[in-house]
Structures are given as structure tokens and as C-alpha cells.
Amino acid sequence: MIRALLVDDEPPAREELRFLITQHKDFVICGEAGGGVEVLEMYEMVKPDVIFLDIQLWDLDGVEVARLLLKKPNPPWIIFATAYDSYAVQAFELNAIDYLLKPFTEERVAATLDRIVERWNLKEKEEKYSSLEKLVQQLVLQQRPNRLVAWKGERLLVISPEEIIYAEAQGHQVWLQRVSGDRLKFPGTLQELQNRLDPQRFRRVHRSFLVNIDFVSEVAPYFHGSYRLLMRDNYRTEVPVGRTYLKELRETLGF
């Protein structure tokens, strides 16, 4: 169940929101507060997952209350519930999940609750996968230090480094191209991957590429004294060589 805390200095507004939220099977009301000071004092006791927060409270500004709450470890999700739409920009600057305008409608509140549930399920899935990654990586390092783990869809595979033709960083993700033709996602950075691999076999040739030297089929001259590596995979992939890595690559391949 998702624990919700209601914050509004008008009891009828809290009562209406309480009724609408409790119609949803995935939510439970863990507390209510009538002001900013009260919610800050009770937060540690009730530990809500999500807070429905009015902006114009009698004692504190709701936006400032949200800023203070978001500084907490594992901060709650914030949904602003107010009669004023002029605070919308500030709300979304604080990464609020949603912005509910009074008077509330059943359809609008239901849509917000569904959005929260969707994000909650995604969060739980990511946390589960993160825990699984750490556990499997630890076991692999203990039992088979020459093995790696990588994701293929929702399956976490244990692979041998010899299967990797090259690795490519794309944004915050690192992809491994295998001999089999599969493309797997490595749960870490390109530098972390490089630290795990044999430096005699795997060379960093670009800030975004790490290659298995055994699968380099050709060093091709490119523009302005630069080079590209042709890899021995099904696609004859061309990997750029960064200038800062060229000297080391020349020494490795002897050209």
C-alpha cells in the first residue's frame, strides 16, 4: 500500500480528498495535518510515501514546506492540491508528481492516483533489479572473478569477457556487443567495465568505446590523421579512435 499524508488547513478539503483517495485500493491515509509546522513535526513519525500538500497554509508557504521535505533522506513524492494555478511553475520546478486544482473532481484525482501507482510500480521494479544486480555481481566476483553480468531484456546473464567484441557508452547506459550478435546492457559505467577487464585484451580507444583487440580486423585511416577500427562482428562496425587514445593504440597494435 502507498502511504499518503494530507496537508490542508481547511478540514472540508481534507475530508473530500480523504474520501476520494480511499476509494483507490492501492492507497492508505497515514496521517493528516492542518499546517506546515505540523507536517514537518509529524513527518518522521508517519513516514508517508506521498504528500498531498496545499500551497496556501495558515502558517507556512506550502512551496517552502515542500522544499524542506525534499531535503529529507528518501524524500516523499509531492502532489500540490490547491485552489490557485499560479504556483504551477514552482511546483514542477520542485519535481512535483502532479498539481491538483480545487474543487477536486473524482476523475482528476483518480488520474493522479493512477499516475502515482504507475511510478511506484516502476520504482519498485528498479529497486528490485538494482538489488538483484548487486547480489549477482557479488556472487560472480566471489565464485567466478573472470565473469561479468549484463542485462538481456529482463534477464540477467553471466557472460565471459571473451564473448565481448566491444562496449559502447550511450548516455548513461553501456552496451556490450557479443560474438553471438546479442547486445546486452552492462549495469555500470564504461570505466567500471574497463576496470574489470584484462587491459592486455581490452583497450579504451574513445571516451565512448572499449574494444576487444582480438576482434579488430582493420585499422582504417580517416580524416585529418584520425583512424577508425573495423570490428570483426556481423555488422563490420566502425569504431572511432579518439586522439588521446591513439598513441597507446599504436603501441598495442604496432602501426
Side-chain angles (χ1 to χ4, degrees):
M1 298 287 280
I2 301 173
R3 297 166 56 80
L5 174 62
L6 312 184
V7 185
D8 199 307
D9 55 9
E10 298 178 356
R14 293 203 308 271
E15 183 178 352
E16 181 183 10
L17 196 53
R18 183 195 319 123
F19 172 77
L20 293 172
I21 292 174
T22 53
Q23 303 307 300
H24 201 293
K25 63 181 179 62
D26 293 308
F27 288 82
V28 62
I29 305 299
C30 66
E32 297 183 20
V37 172
E38 185 180 2
V39 68
L40 292 172
E41 289 177 344
M42 70 185 298
Y43 173 77
E44 295 298 335
M45 292 185 292
V46 298
K47 292 290 187 182
D49 300 308
V50 59
I51 297 179
F52 289 81
L53 179 62
D54 188 17
I55 288 180
Q56 291 203 335
L57 300 169
W58 71 272
D59 55 350
L60 294 176
D61 175 69
V63 173
E64 184 57 32
V65 171
R67 287 196 178 97
L68 294 172
L69 289 169
L70 292 173
K71 292 179 181 178
K72 302 281 188 182
N74 300 315
W77 291 348
I78 303 293
I79 290 87
F80 285 106
T82 180
Y84 305 92
D85 61 3
S86 56
Y87 294 92
V89 173
Q90 288 177 280
F92 288 106
E93 284 177 348
L94 290 171
N95 293 321
I97 301 296
D98 209 342
Y99 192 93
L100 286 173
L101 282 175
K102 299 176 183 177
F104 307 125
T105 66
E106 184 175 353
E107 294 78 11
R108 183 66 180 85
V109 172
T112 295
L113 298 178
D114 288 341
R115 184 177 296 115
I116 295 169
V117 170
E118 183 179 350
R119 290 188 59 162
W120 183 264
N121 291 338
L122 180 61
K123 172 176 172 283
E124 286 191 327
K125 184 177 180 181
E126 289 174 345
E127 289 175 348
K128 179 184 72 175
Y129 282 168
S130 178
S131 299
L132 178 61
E133 284 175 0
K134 291 176 182 177
L135 175 61
V136 174
Q137 291 232 49
Q138 184 178 17
L139 292 173
V140 167
L141 284 172
Q142 290 174 351
Q143 305 298 328
R144 306 175 75 182
N146 62 332
R147 293 292 188 269
L148 298 170
V149 296
W151 288 100
K152 181 178 182 180
E154 296 191 356
R155 296 165 56 205
L156 191 59
L157 306 183
V158 178
I159 65 171
S160 168
E162 286 74 18
E163 300 177 52
I164 302 171
I165 298 176
Y166 66 88
E168 179 182 4
Q170 294 182 347
H172 297 295
Q173 297 181 331
V174 174
W175 295 93
L176 310 180
Q177 184 63 50
R178 295 172 79 194
V179 176
S180 61
D182 293 341
R183 194 167 167 85
L184 310 180
K185 186 169 72 171
F186 176 72
T189 66
L190 196 60
Q191 185 60 55
E192 289 170 342
L193 175 63
Q194 184 177 356
N195 293 341
R196 294 281 309 279
L197 297 172
D198 180 0
Q200 300 304 313
R201 171 172 286 177
F202 289 88
R203 290 289 185 175
R204 189 76 167 264
V205 297
H206 188 275
R207 65 181 181 180
S208 300
F209 284 93
L210 180 68
V211 303
N212 185 339
I213 295 299
D214 292 343
F215 287 96
V216 175
S217 64
E218 184 179 339
V219 180
Y222 205 57
F223 295 112
H224 307 298
S226 62
Y227 291 85
R228 287 182 176 264
L229 303 180
L230 297 183
M231 305 305 296
R232 198 180 302 119
D233 61 353
N234 295 336
Y235 312 102
R236 292 275 292 170
T237 301
E238 294 186 6
V239 174
V241 178
R243 292 185 181 277
T244 56
Y245 303 93
L246 182 56
K247 180 181 178 181
E248 185 177 306
L249 183 65
R250 283 182 181 276
E251 293 173 353
T252 300
L253 296 180
F255 70 95

